[in-house]
Amino acid sequence: MTHFPPPAEELRLLDLELRQLDARRAQLLHRRAWLVTALQATPRPITPAPVASPRPEASAPRVQNVLLVLGGVLLTIAAMAFTLVSWGHMGIAGRALVLGGVTVAVLAAPVPLLKHALRSTAEAVAGLGLALTVLDAYALHQVALTDVDPTGYVAAASAVLAALWAAYGLLPRTSELRLPLPAALTAAQLPLVLWAVAADAGLYGVTAAVLVTAGLDTGVALKVPTGSVRITAAVGAYGLGAWGVWAAGWLSWTATGPSAAARAAALLLLAAGIAVAAARQEVAGKQAVGLSVTAGLLAVAALGGTSRSVLPDAWTVPAYLVCGIALLAAVRLERLPETVRGGFARASVAVQGLALLWTLPVLGISLVGPVAWAEQVWSGTPGSVREAVAVDAPWPPDAETVPVVLAVVAVVLLLAVRNAVWRPRALTGVLVTAWATALVLPPVLEVPYAVGLVALALTTAGALAAAAWIRPSAQPETAEEPAEATVPAVTFPTPRATATVLALLTSLPLAFLSLTAEAATLAVLAALTALFAAASWKSHLAPITAPTALAYATALACATGAAAGWEPQYIALPVLAVPVAAALLALRLGDARATIPVEVTGAVAALLAVGLAAAAADLPMLALVLALCGVITAGTAIRPDRRHLSYASAALFVLATWVRLAAWDVGTPEAYTLPVSVPALLVGALRRRRDPEVPSWTAYGPGLAATLVPSLLTAWSDAHWTRPLLLGLAALAVTLLGARHHLKAPLLLGGTVLALDALHELAPYIAQVTDALPRWVPPALAGLLLLAIGATYEQRLRDARKMRDFLGNMH
């Protein structure tokens, strides 16, 4: 029978076996670590990299093609040398026999080569044969047709060669060759153009020949299925088409009369017809759209150029704009393919965009030109708005029709765009163009200065009214749109936001234009302040209009003080009314989007007031301004979400106290600061007792700083020892109290004042010791310090390595 030990005995045996396994495992792991270390220390034998067999750099077909092409080129060069150099040593019969026989033989050679499947060789030989035909044509002219005009002969020869090469490429036994047909098409580019040059057809005739050739190439590219022929035809169509269009456009722009403009327009319309015919074919979508856009622009250039020839220069851009808008009528023609109609729409948009670009100089001067009055404040009222606007910039020529262009584009956007997706964006464009029209109309019409100010004020009010009463429009994100109305992934501003920004932009040139005269400045700034303040009652406008109203109120306060003849330090007092209004308005708004801009504007106005008081070096007024700023900040700190402003309020009060002491030439500031510091410290202690979570900086910081900082500043310039000693003892006591009760404010303030006071007292002795030391001592001390730091750093790295090794050996 099998013996089963008791459970206790069996457990003891299992524990013994496990301990032996652990000991064996530790021994094996130790041995493994030693072997890994030994292998890492032993240099590994260098194994030579396997040598790869060299790969051929050129494939066999490529080598074959290079050789064939090179052979054909060399034979062609030899034939040319024979024709040009050795031709005169033979008679007429011999010349004809040699060239004719060689040409026929070479052109016939590809037939047996194709039968033996030597296609590449056949292509090379065929190329040589085509080159020989060119030499035959040259030889014919040199022998029998020397009196013929060279240009006309080249035109006829190229036409004949094109026909012969095309027939050669279409023969049943040579139709497999790919070279003759593209070569024939290349030769066909020359006849019409050269015939026009030979016939003295002029620029119009040559341009017409170029465009007709481009049209023929377009037809070949659309109808012929062969790839090489289509590529050659496309290159010819685009190349000659671009040349012809450029020449026709130049002729249209430089036309001096209706007749010349009409002829140039006919050329442009010919090019447009070719582009439309190509676009109507079922080609790739992008190509069709591009051709349609080109056709539309060419039609606009043709009709606009004709109109320009009979209109004044100022109406050139409106004439082109009307022609571009007329393209929109073709968009509604159902007979045209959708891609063509989309291209016409894009062409119309491009023309309108170019017309708007033409208006930018006038718009820029109307908007930015008045800024120059900031350097000529109250220097005199100009006669007209144009003089006030273009005070430092020349007025653009032929700008009389700028408002017409802007108004026409606005009407087109309002009436033509009906798509649900594009409608809100079109309304935004209508707002912008209508605003631009109202902005440039007064200087263009040269209205009187006062009338111009009223017009700008009405434009600002109108923009604010539009921003206040326009309903928010939700733009659909997933809408079915036609191909021509594809919307890019761009976030467009809403009409409401656009109107608000336009009102702000209009108010800026209005404010700068009012700087010409004192009465105009006060009236305009008051009107702008009231206007933007009234608009701030609309909650969606308050984030922009409320800060703007405060900014204009600040400018109004400064202008009022300057008009009254006040000095800058006294102007600071009415400026402080703006921070008060900002604090009250922020309390009423309760919206973070509007509250923060309002408070920032108020803070900037307060800084301006402080700057005005400081610029005049009037210390009592500066102290008063700082104290009033502290009162305003303290009132704002009453709000639960602005409690952190209490620190700024305390700092302003302390700073105002110091400035007041400096204004009184107080030599013993403690007599004035201690009566303030002691109650402040008592109030802070009571607050800490009620609420232990109150920071020590809030409870004790203002009271301690009110005495310690002025005393330190006075002791720093005191030549006696009494004040520094007492200040040092007080700072030591404050530091010890802060350390005893673990309070940051007493600890840091007291310690800082104590250190600075001790440094002031020991500075003469430190200077004496420094002068007594040799010059090598400071560098030596610095070197020792660096060595000590380096040794400590190395020791820490070593300890870190030991800890890493120790943790790595643990299992």
Side-chain angles (χ1 to χ4, degrees):
M1 295 178 64
T2 303
H3 174 70
F4 293 98
E9 180 65 18
E10 186 176 1
L11 183 60
R12 184 184 66 79
L13 294 175
L14 290 177
D15 290 339
L16 178 61
E17 291 291 339
L18 289 175
R19 282 196 294 271
Q20 291 177 356
L21 290 175
D22 290 339
R24 180 58 177 167
R25 184 173 183 275
Q27 180 183 3
L28 293 176
L29 288 175
H30 180 73
R31 180 62 179 175
R32 181 184 180 278
W34 182 87
L35 291 174
V36 170
T37 305
L39 287 175
Q40 292 178 350
T42 302
R44 296 182 179 180
I46 300 176
T47 304
V51 179
S53 59
R55 297 179 58 186
E57 296 183 357
S59 60
R62 182 172 299 178
V63 173
Q64 164 196 300
N65 293 334
V66 170
L67 293 177
L68 291 174
V69 172
L70 182 59
V73 170
L74 292 177
L75 289 175
T76 303
I77 294 174
M80 291 174 62
F82 169 77
T83 304
L84 298 176
V85 178
S86 301
W87 184 259
H89 300 290
M90 302 179 64
I92 296 178
R95 300 171 189 174
L97 182 61
V98 171
L99 275 181
V102 172
T103 303
V104 172
V106 172
L107 291 177
V111 176
L113 293 174
L114 290 174
K115 288 183 178 180
H116 292 82
L118 299 176
R119 182 166 183 169
S120 299
T121 306
E123 294 283 355
V125 174
L128 177 60
L130 299 180
L132 288 175
T133 57
V134 177
L135 294 177
D136 290 339
Y138 170 75
L140 180 61
H141 180 268
Q142 292 297 320
V143 173
L145 302 174
T146 54
D147 297 333
V148 178
D149 178 44
T151 305
Y153 178 78
V154 173
S158 59
V160 173
L161 290 176
L164 291 177
W165 292 350
Y168 180 72
L170 294 175
L171 291 175
R173 296 188 179 183
T174 57
S175 59
E176 298 181 13
L177 295 175
R178 290 177 293 182
L179 183 60
L181 291 180
L185 187 58
T186 303
Q189 309 300 309
L190 302 177
L192 289 178
V193 179
L194 294 179
W195 275 332
V197 173
D200 289 332
L203 293 177
Y204 292 94
V206 174
T207 304
V210 169
L211 291 175
V212 170
T213 305
L216 296 176
D217 289 335
T218 303
V220 173
L222 294 175
K223 299 298 183 180
V224 176
T226 307
S228 58
V229 177
R230 292 187 62 184
I231 293 174
T232 306
V235 172
Y238 282 110
L240 292 178
W243 178 17
V245 166
W246 179 85
W250 182 77
L251 291 173
S252 176
W253 186 254
T254 57
T256 57
S259 176
R263 285 182 289 168
L267 295 176
L268 290 172
L269 291 176
L270 174 60
I274 295 172
V276 169
R280 294 191 59 154
Q281 302 296 323
E282 295 299 329
V283 296
K286 293 183 178 180
Q287 295 180 7
V289 172
L291 291 171
S292 302
V293 172
T294 303
L297 294 177
L298 290 175
V300 171
L303 300 178
T306 305
S307 303
R308 184 187 61 83
S309 62
V310 297
L311 293 174
D313 292 339
W315 291 92
T316 298
V317 174
Y320 282 102
L321 177 61
V322 171
C323 296
I325 295 172
L327 282 178
L328 296 177
V331 176
R332 302 184 180 277
L333 296 177
E334 298 295 338
R335 294 174 298 175
L336 294 177
E338 186 176 350
T339 53
V340 175
R341 289 187 282 120
F344 284 170
R346 285 173 169 83
S348 177
V349 171
V351 173
Q352 296 178 56
L354 292 175
L356 292 179
L357 287 178
W358 175 73
T359 65
L360 286 183
V362 177
L363 183 60
I365 291 178
S366 302
L367 193 61
V368 182
V371 177
W373 286 103
E375 299 178 354
Q376 308 175 31
V377 178
W378 297 349
S379 60
T381 303
S384 65
V385 177
R386 180 181 295 186
E387 296 178 8
V389 166
V391 59
D392 278 349
W395 186 254
D398 301 328
E400 296 83 0
T401 55
V402 168
V404 176
V405 170
L406 293 170
V408 168
V409 173
V411 172
V412 170
L413 288 174
L414 184 63
L415 299 179
V417 182
R418 297 296 181 181
N419 184 271
V421 175
W422 281 103
R423 185 63 178 174
R425 298 156 190 174
L427 292 178
T428 301
V430 170
L431 283 176
V432 174
T433 50
W435 164 80
T437 305
L439 188 65
V440 303
L441 190 60
V444 167
L445 297 180
E446 294 188 87
V447 300
Y449 173 74
V451 177
L453 291 183
V454 173
L456 286 177
L458 293 177
T459 303
T460 305
L464 282 178
W469 300 109
I470 289 179
R471 296 180 180 180
S473 56
Q475 298 180 0
E477 298 182 356
T478 57
E480 295 292 336
E481 303 179 35
E484 68 270 16
T486 303
V487 181
V490 178
T491 301
F492 287 81
T494 61
R496 174 185 288 183
T498 302
T500 306
V501 174
L502 293 180
L504 179 60
L505 287 178
T506 312
S507 67
L508 293 176
L510 175 60
F512 282 108
L513 281 178
S514 68
L515 297 179
T516 57
E518 178 181 321
T521 301
L522 297 178
V524 167
L525 291 179
L528 289 177
T529 302
L531 188 61
F532 281 95
S536 300
W537 290 100
K538 292 289 185 178
S539 59
H540 62 276
L541 298 180
I544 295 179
T545 56
T548 305
L550 293 175
Y552 284 125
T554 305
L556 178 61
C558 296
T560 303
W566 294 353
E567 297 182 0
Q569 65 271 24
Y570 299 107
I571 297 178
L573 294 178
V575 170
L576 285 178
V578 176
V580 174
L584 296 176
L585 184 59
L587 181 63
R588 176 196 172 278
L589 290 174
D591 185 4
R593 296 180 305 167
T595 300
I596 294 177
V598 165
E599 291 177 341
V600 170
T601 307
V604 172
L607 289 176
L608 176 61
V610 173
L612 290 173
D618 189 345
L619 294 182
M621 185 59 65
L622 178 59
L624 176 60
V625 171
L626 289 172
L628 293 177
C629 290
V631 172
I632 298 171
T633 309
T636 306
I638 297 176
R639 293 166 49 190
D641 57 336
R642 294 293 185 267
R643 292 291 172 81
H644 57 277
L645 293 179
S646 58
Y647 302 107
S649 176
L652 288 171
F653 282 128
V654 172
L655 187 59
T657 304
W658 295 345
V659 173
R660 172 56 66 179
L661 293 177
W664 286 339
D665 294 329
V666 174
T668 308
E670 292 81 6
Y672 301 92
T673 58
L674 283 176
V676 176
S677 296
V678 172
L681 292 174
L682 291 177
V683 172
L686 292 176
R687 186 176 178 184
R688 286 271 299 177
R689 178 174 295 180
R690 293 180 180 179
D691 186 7
E693 299 296 330
V694 175
S696 62
W697 288 106
T698 303
Y700 305 117
L704 293 174
T707 297
L708 291 177
V709 176
S711 299
L712 177 63
L713 296 176
T714 306
W716 198 264
S717 59
D718 194 347
H720 303 285
W721 60 272
T722 307
R723 184 185 303 276
L725 177 61
L726 295 177
L727 178 61
L729 293 176
L732 177 62
V734 171
T735 303
L736 294 177
L737 287 174
R740 171 68 178 79
H741 297 284
H742 304 285
L743 299 175
K744 289 184 179 181
L747 182 63
L748 295 179
L749 283 175
T752 302
V753 173
L754 180 60
L756 293 176
D757 185 65
L759 179 63
H760 173 264
E761 293 302 310
L762 296 177
Y765 303 103
I766 294 174
Q768 293 178 4
V769 173
T770 304
D771 293 338
L773 289 176
R775 293 188 176 183
W776 58 269
V777 173
L781 293 176
L784 291 175
L785 177 62
L786 293 176
L787 287 176
I789 293 174
T792 304
Y793 184 71
E794 183 180 6
Q795 182 179 3
R796 290 182 178 178
L797 287 178
R798 184 185 61 190
D799 295 341
R801 293 192 192 97
K802 288 183 178 180
M803 180 59 69
R804 183 190 62 187
D805 295 338
F806 174 74
L807 294 176
N809 292 330
M810 295 179 66
H811 303 291

